[in-house]
Amino acid sequence: MLRIDPGLHGALRSAAHAAATSLNEYCARKLASPGAWLDEEASGLIGRAAWLLGESLVGVVAFGSWTRGESRAASDFDVLLIAEECVPITRELYRRWDSKPVLHWRGHEVEPHFVHLPSKGAIPSGTWAEVATDGVVLHERGLEVSARLAGIRGMISAGRISRRRVHGQSYWVRAG
């Protein structure tokens, strides 16, 4: 028997349901797969997201300076917390996140960004283009996040969106 945070249990149960398998089978597969052993910081981050969003948690993706290898001592650790469309993205989500102790990732304070997945085929925002380029999926349900990120990378490859730089700052533009 293993005791885990109820929020993480809910996220695992939801992922098992999405994979059309039992919770035990899903956990056994995850434990046997490469990268399954999350460290304490990753588990804490995913557990907090699961506690907050429950079965509405679609994914957790790290992005920004840390994933690009450009972080400095004062940098934060940016993370997308992806919720189902039925969950409104409000200040209340951030208040609830902030009601718990500050989380850290490798010495950097975790900075949450609550989002919904962009619509399939729609031109994504610059944030999603950045995440597709150098984001790291820490948790997802049923490969939904990875599939959407692959679609965005396809748009970038096809030239439908592109990155530009001005004064050392990058931004994304749509073709045309």
Side-chain angles (χ1 to χ4, degrees):
M1 177 181 277
L2 175 68
R3 291 200 177 274
I4 60 173
D5 179 270
L8 181 56
H9 182 267
L12 289 169
R13 187 176 60 243
S14 178
H17 178 74
T21 188
S22 72
L23 177 59
N24 285 342
E25 178 65 23
Y26 181 81
C27 289
R29 287 182 191 168
K30 287 304 257 183
L31 289 170
S33 66
W37 298 104
L38 294 176
D39 62 21
E40 188 174 325
E41 290 172 317
S43 294
L45 172 57
I46 294 165
R48 170 86 58 94
W51 163 78
L52 190 58
L53 296 170
E55 293 189 20
S56 296
L57 178 63
V58 175
V60 178
V61 183
F63 72 105
S65 62
W66 188 86
T67 62
R68 290 189 308 270
E70 300 171 353
S71 65
R72 298 186 176 117
S75 297
D76 57 13
F77 181 77
D78 292 299
V79 63
L80 289 184
L81 302 176
I82 307 161
E84 289 181 350
E85 285 291 327
C86 63
V87 176
I89 307 298
T90 64
R91 289 184 190 269
E92 182 58 27
L93 282 175
Y94 290 92
R95 278 198 271 296
R96 289 184 60 212
W97 177 273
D98 290 339
S99 72
K100 299 285 187 184
V102 172
L103 289 178
H104 290 87
W105 183 278
R106 313 293 189 264
H108 301 279
E109 186 172 325
V110 173
E111 181 67 33
H113 303 268
F114 293 94
V115 297
H116 298 125
L117 278 175
S119 300
K120 267 187 184 173
I123 300 294
S125 68
T127 299
W128 277 105
E130 178 183 343
V131 169
T133 303
D134 51 40
V136 176
V137 177
L138 301 175
H139 169 78
E140 66 181 321
R141 180 180 69 194
L143 298 177
E144 292 175 75
V145 177
S146 292
R148 202 63 50 89
L149 293 177
I152 295 169
R153 286 190 298 274
M155 289 181 199
I156 295 168
S157 294
R160 292 181 59 199
I161 55 176
S162 61
R163 180 184 282 168
R164 299 208 177 135
R165 281 192 173 275
V166 172
H167 305 295
Q169 298 296 318
S170 63
Y171 65 98
W172 292 86
V173 295
R174 296 177 176 147

